[in-house]
Amino acid sequence: QETMSHPLSGNSAEGNALASFMLGWGGACNMGNGAGQSYDLTSLAAARSYGGYLQDDIRITPKLTINMGIRYEVQLPSTERHNRYTTFDMDAPSPLASAVKGAANCPACADLRGGYVFMSDKNRRAYNTDRNDIGPRFGFAYQFAPHMVLRGGYGIYYGLSSAGLTAELGDGFITSTAWNYSSDGGITQNATLVNPFPNGIDQPVGSANGMMQGVGDVAYGPNPENNVTPYFQQWNLSVQRELGFNSVIEIAYSGTKGTHLGFGTMRTAPSLFDASYLTSLGDKLLEQVPNPFYGLVPATSSMATPTIQRRYLLSRFPQFYYYSERPGPPIASSIYHGLQFKFRKRLSHGLQTTIHYTFSKAITDSDAADDPNVDWLGGAIGINGSGRPRVQNWGNLRLERSESTFDIKHRFVADFSYQLPIGRNQAIGKNWNRALDLVAGGWQVNGILIASTGVPLVPHLQGNGTIGGIGMAQRPNVTGDPSTSGSVVSRLNKYLDSSAFSRPASWVSGTAPRTMGYVRAPGFHGMDASLFKQFMLNDERSRYFELRGEAFNLTNTPIFSVPNTTWGSSGFGIISGQANGSRSVQLAAKFYF
């Protein structure tokens, strides 16, 4: 006989979820406060951009053509229908200035500044407008010898403005009303699907607090001066030579330089204290000292304590726990150089192929904007391939300049498609009858081969060292060559030599670069292939049935993932995962008519 559990206790083996749903019950989820979903306000944002260009092609001689142009564009910062944006004014006098003037351990308290500014009908945009986006373009093509052409070009191209992308409600307009389906652990029902908020919707405070909004806690908001549109200078030069057999060979150089890119790991830069304190004060930065803002900030805030760590009072805006702008300040840059070799045979006699090899190098100082609006562009690779490596010393950003986390030095790609010359009207079986051609003719084989070196490894230090406690990631010292020899399979448990690293002293930057271009993750190599069979149904070959067999990772070769690069951890140097999948085969049929 089955024994029922206590009627007031949940049991996964009893009850019916659909029945509970039909009665209007909810359940825990990953939104709100964990007891159920929530009701959140959303912004009603709009942004406009305008652009115009002039362009002309000039044929100087029959062998020389020049292309010239210029483009101008303006990306207006977004507005919100009800003006519910805020911005952070770094120079505005704080209402707490007189109360904390002369406070000990707080240099900024002598003239306390900084706080939120709320938008209005007269000032709707949280960012200033960048009106300097002028992009010249130039290119040429010159046939300097028979069957040979020299091409080149240069241009400036602007990216997406953070001011036009950002569409978040300002602090003071953000609130969340949790859907609490039960207040006693599911015994009695509090809210239903029909009436999810019986106590009403929580309303935000809006602009009522003025510049006191958010004091004592983290301040989030755009820096109006940071709306500088990122741009890229691109240039290239190539020589192309026409060969026989309907083929072309090309050697090219291309370069790209990015300027005013978002420095994602420096979002808190405006509120950071002078980096010289790292060595002059050291452990004293973490000492508890009297908090001059105690009693002046809300009792529920993070800074509502009699004492506080000294480092918070040394910041530029000590009335806030810290200030974080979004996206990161436009001070990052990038540079890319690439030498490319390309051979292409256009379709003839049933065969076409392309062979491409690139030797390149990409250098950056930040690989993530740290902005949810543009993070789809790609983030940095951190521990085991995820996360963003933090800045080691904000007083010396040159330490962050290194090979990019997505730099691939060598990359080879070859693809082909070959219609076998077998069947009616082909070299083999030209006069076959339809029945024989249906069985033996109409075959096509395709493939793509890719081989590339791995990305640079990102060094980390177990616990991030002492500096990690204040938003900086101390890196280890590099004392030797961390690479090991042998095949990847033989090095799965020791891909890196731990003796090539050491721990730096507290509050001192390690010597390891942001990325180690001299030791990289395992490279990639693989091949996909397919075999097509066409069954012709008429003499005109316009109606046929096609059967396809396709194999991905044809050789079933495992590609191993990034090793653990946290020096000091028990798993340092160990590769514990696979970056690709196993062989996958699929069959497909298609009818053409």
Side-chain angles (χ1 to χ4, degrees):
Q1 180 179 359
E2 182 179 355
T3 303
M4 295 185 63
S5 62
H6 194 281
L8 300 183
S9 300
N11 190 312
S12 60
E14 299 173 6
N16 187 288
L18 181 59
S20 299
F21 174 76
M22 297 296 292
L23 292 174
W25 279 85
C29 66
N30 293 325
M31 296 178 63
N33 62 355
Q37 292 192 2
S38 62
Y39 175 85
D40 302 315
L41 294 175
T42 57
S43 64
L44 302 173
R48 294 184 177 91
S49 62
Y50 303 91
Y53 68 93
L54 296 173
Q55 180 176 311
D56 192 19
D57 291 330
I58 306 174
R59 191 174 185 183
I60 305 298
T61 70
K63 295 184 178 181
L64 176 62
T65 300
I66 293 178
N67 173 279
M68 293 186 296
I70 189 169
R71 178 179 175 86
Y72 177 72
E73 56 189 67
V74 176
Q75 300 182 43
L76 297 179
S78 63
T79 59
E80 206 275 332
R81 180 180 298 179
H82 304 293
N83 298 325
R84 293 178 297 181
Y85 282 167
T86 59
T87 187
F88 195 88
D89 189 338
M90 299 186 181
D91 295 320
S94 170
L96 298 177
S98 59
V100 297
K101 189 172 185 179
N105 303 305
C106 183
C109 289
D111 184 19
L112 193 64
R113 294 179 178 272
Y116 285 110
V117 174
F118 293 84
M119 301 297 98
S120 65
D121 289 336
K122 296 182 179 180
N123 180 25
R124 303 193 64 197
R125 294 185 169 91
Y127 289 92
N128 297 337
T129 303
D130 186 356
R131 302 184 184 276
N132 302 308
D133 299 350
I134 302 175
R137 318 284 168 83
F138 171 79
F140 72 92
Y142 178 47
Q143 185 179 358
F144 64 94
H147 308 290
M148 297 188 72
V149 177
L150 177 67
R151 294 185 175 91
Y154 170 84
I156 295 179
Y157 304 88
Y158 288 87
L160 298 173
S161 167
S162 59
L165 287 170
T166 302
E168 300 178 10
L169 292 176
D171 196 20
F173 298 102
I174 301 174
T175 187
S176 180
T177 305
W179 179 35
N180 295 311
Y181 59 88
S182 177
S183 58
D184 53 10
I187 298 176
T188 57
Q189 194 173 25
N190 178 59
T192 67
L193 293 174
V194 176
N195 184 20
F197 305 108
N199 298 323
I201 303 297
D202 294 340
Q203 298 299 314
V205 297
S207 59
N209 293 331
M211 292 196 68
M212 284 293 292
Q213 177 66 39
V215 295
D217 281 313
V218 177
Y220 294 96
N223 179 350
E225 301 295 332
N226 275 357
N227 183 33
V228 181
T229 310
Y231 70 88
F232 294 88
Q233 300 177 69
Q234 296 183 353
W235 57 91
N236 61 79
L237 184 66
S238 68
V239 177
Q240 192 177 66
R241 175 69 162 88
E242 183 181 7
L243 304 175
F245 306 101
N246 204 23
S247 60
V248 175
I249 188 172
E250 182 179 3
I251 298 177
Y253 159 75
S254 65
T256 302
K257 185 181 187 304
T259 306
H260 294 312
L261 308 181
F263 207 121
T265 49
M266 285 292 289
R267 280 181 55 191
T268 58
S271 62
L272 297 175
F273 55 77
D274 191 321
S276 64
Y277 288 133
L278 294 173
T279 53
S280 63
L281 292 178
D283 292 336
K284 292 182 179 179
L285 288 169
L286 306 180
E287 288 180 349
Q288 293 287 331
V289 296
N291 182 6
F293 297 97
Y294 181 61
L296 301 177
V297 298
T300 56
S301 68
S302 302
M303 295 179 62
T305 55
T307 61
I308 194 171
Q309 285 187 358
R310 188 192 308 271
R311 61 188 173 109
Y312 291 109
L313 299 183
L314 294 176
S315 69
R316 182 178 176 184
F317 310 110
Q319 70 272 35
F320 297 97
Y321 203 58
Y322 62 85
Y323 164 57
S324 178
E325 56 185 320
R326 177 173 287 172
I331 58 176
S333 62
S334 66
I335 187 73
Y336 168 87
H337 299 284
L339 182 63
Q340 303 167 356
F341 169 85
K342 184 177 182 180
F343 171 80
R344 180 179 181 183
K345 183 188 181 304
R346 298 180 179 88
L347 180 63
S348 63
H349 304 290
L351 174 65
Q352 64 178 7
T353 183
T354 301
I355 300 174
H356 196 164
Y357 167 73
T358 300
F359 172 64
S360 64
K361 187 173 185 177
I363 298 175
T364 60
D365 44 26
S366 178
D367 290 324
D370 208 7
D371 179 5
N373 297 291
V374 296
D375 266 358
W376 52 268
L377 295 172
I381 298 174
I383 301 176
N384 293 326
S386 63
R388 296 182 177 87
R390 312 306 296 180
V391 170
Q392 183 171 215
N393 188 325
W394 60 72
N396 185 5
L397 295 181
R398 291 288 300 179
L399 296 178
E400 306 307 305
R401 187 171 178 81
S402 65
E403 289 172 272
S404 171
T405 55
F406 50 78
D407 174 66
I408 297 177
K409 191 171 294 294
H410 301 279
R411 181 173 174 84
F412 175 84
V413 179
D415 64 79
F416 70 92
S417 177
Y418 185 39
Q419 298 173 355
L420 300 181
I422 303 174
R424 298 184 69 178
N425 301 320
Q426 300 293 328
I428 301 175
K430 182 178 181 179
N431 297 316
W432 281 355
N433 59 46
R434 181 178 296 178
L436 183 57
D437 180 63
L438 195 67
V439 176
W443 292 93
Q444 178 179 324
V445 61
N446 315 280
I448 180 170
L449 173 67
I450 301 176
S452 65
T453 53
V455 294
L457 296 181
V458 180
H460 297 271
L461 189 63
Q462 177 72 6
N464 281 337
T466 306
I467 297 180
I470 58 171
M472 299 173 70
Q474 188 183 37
R475 296 191 283 262
N477 289 327
V478 177
T479 59
D481 184 1
S483 59
T484 55
S485 59
S487 66
V488 176
V489 174
S490 67
R491 295 184 292 150
L492 292 179
N493 291 321
K494 191 179 180 181
Y495 192 82
L496 297 173
D497 184 1
S498 62
S499 65
F501 300 90
S502 66
R503 181 177 293 274
S506 298
W507 308 102
V508 176
S509 298
T511 60
R514 181 173 60 95
T515 66
M516 298 183 295
Y518 42 81
V519 55
R520 294 173 174 259
F524 175 86
H525 55 277
M527 182 176 183
D528 302 332
S530 62
L531 183 65
F532 293 4
K533 175 66 175 77
Q534 296 174 347
F535 301 88
M536 296 300 169
L537 304 179
N538 61 355
D539 290 336
E540 294 78 14
R541 309 178 74 85
S542 60
R543 186 167 65 249
Y544 58 93
F545 176 77
E546 185 177 77
L547 185 64
R548 299 181 175 185
E550 300 169 326
F552 303 94
N553 189 10
L554 177 66
T555 59
N556 202 29
T557 303
I559 304 300
F560 296 100
S561 60
V562 178
N564 184 311
T565 58
T566 303
W567 187 80
S569 70
S570 59
F572 176 76
I574 296 177
I575 295 178
S576 58
Q578 186 174 330
N580 68 335
S582 58
R583 181 194 296 120
S584 174
V585 179
Q586 65 182 27
L587 296 176
K590 194 172 184 179
F591 178 61
Y592 294 83
F593 61 93

